[in-house]
Amino acid sequence: AQSVTQLDSHVSVSEGTPVLLRCNYSSSYSPSLFWYVQHPNKGLQLLLKYTSAATLVKGINGFEAEFKKSETSFHLTKPSAHMSDAAEYFCVVRAAGNKLTFGGGTRVLVKP
Amino acid sequence: NAGVMQNPRHLVRRRGQEARLRCSPMKGHSHVYWYRQLPEEGLKFMVYLQKENIIDESGMPKERFSAEFPKEGPSILRIQQVVRGDSAAYFCASSPTGLQRTGNTIYFGEGSWLTVV
């Protein structure tokens, strides 16, 4: 069985400050992990993915995430938030088979 | 190369009516997935199909829901006798092969928002 926990349902940051979105997973297998972003009433855009190569993964729009097996974590960071980063972010795990398991989402608010 | 196309983007149905949601995968993709997103929640897996075959429907409600992916044409998610609790966003995704063999990436459409009144 696999599961994903996003530790914060809402995160509020000021423009230009760092963003940290926390994600912990559980999996019986060596997982693949993803972060997706969803803007209001829009579809999902892949930010980055980890598939057992480098543990520090760089994605689009300045985001990156680090896979830490010992902590079963895959936190997403960005050094400097932009207004356009306001959206909902989903941490996703695929352990085996063809099913993706989504976390509950973290809604990011960026204050000017 | 067009992405995953879903239609309609928004659909309103009265209780008891049928809803049909269509999904055209990316060109060259023969694997389709449907996910449902209830308000304020993450996406939940419903069904995985290849052309003319349902591979995994473990996330589909046992009644009123069905999915198909015919040899020709889009994949269809059909909900019969809709109820208010079916109001959600339904996302389709596609991949060229099963996830173990595609670099583990699937591509999502923009979703179909169903409202049951």
Side-chain angles (χ1 to χ4, degrees):
Chain A
Q2 57 198 37
S3 66
V4 181
T5 302
Q6 291 182 242
L7 297 162
D8 307 290
S9 59
H10 293 81
V11 166
S12 181
V13 299
S14 296
E15 191 175 20
T17 64
V19 182
L20 169 64
L21 305 184
R22 298 181 294 165
C23 172
N24 286 100
Y25 70 92
S26 68
S27 171
S28 305
Y29 301 91
S30 181
S32 296
L33 292 154
F34 311 80
W35 277 97
Y36 282 87
V37 61
Q38 183 182 29
H39 287 91
N41 297 318
K42 294 287 188 183
L44 294 156
Q45 181 181 22
L46 178 67
L47 284 176
L48 49 81
K49 65 181 182 183
Y50 165 77
T51 57
S52 74
T55 56
L56 183 62
V57 182
K58 292 191 184 299
I60 63 171
N61 301 338
F63 285 94
E64 63 180 37
E66 186 171 9
F67 173 69
K68 291 187 176 180
K69 186 175 181 179
S70 60
E71 298 177 10
T72 61
S73 69
F74 190 55
H75 301 335
L76 180 72
T77 59
K78 181 172 180 177
S80 176
H82 191 271
M83 295 299 292
S84 60
D85 295 327
E88 186 143 25
Y89 293 78
F90 292 99
C91 183
V92 181
V93 64
R94 188 193 76 82
N98 291 281
K99 246 180 266 189
L100 300 181
T101 299
F102 282 72
T106 298
R107 196 175 297 273
V108 173
L109 173 66
V110 182
K111 296 176 289 187
Chain B
N1 187 10
V4 178
M5 304 301 291
Q6 292 188 245
N7 69 84
R9 293 293 316 281
H10 299 274
L11 181 64
V12 179
R13 283 287 178 266
R14 297 186 185 281
R15 282 178 292 171
Q17 291 185 317
E18 179 178 286
R20 280 185 183 235
L21 308 177
R22 288 177 291 279
C23 169
S24 295
M26 286 181 72
K27 187 175 180 180
H29 288 195
S30 59
H31 296 239
V32 164
Y33 316 78
W34 285 94
Y35 284 77
R36 177 166 65 174
Q37 183 180 30
L38 293 169
E40 306 299 320
E41 294 186 14
L43 279 70
K44 299 240 177 350
F45 170 82
M46 298 182 75
V47 62
Y48 162 44
L49 310 103
Q50 294 179 32
K51 285 282 187 182
E52 301 184 278
N53 287 302
I54 296 174
I55 307 303
D56 181 348
E57 56 181 348
S58 57
M60 287 278 271
K62 298 297 180 200
E63 297 176 346
R64 301 186 298 107
F65 284 72
S66 62
E68 63 177 12
F69 188 19
K71 187 176 179 181
E72 301 289 339
S75 175
I76 306 285
L77 180 67
R78 182 182 178 206
I79 312 171
Q80 295 178 288
Q81 299 175 316
V82 296
V83 300
R84 288 230 172 101
D86 297 332
S87 295
Y90 292 83
F91 287 92
C92 174
S94 74
S95 62
T97 64
L99 289 187
Q100 297 96 323
R101 293 160 59 189
T102 60
N104 295 294
T105 302
I106 67 174
Y107 299 86
F108 283 87
E110 294 209 328
S112 291
W113 269 258
L114 172 66
T115 302
V116 179
V117 297

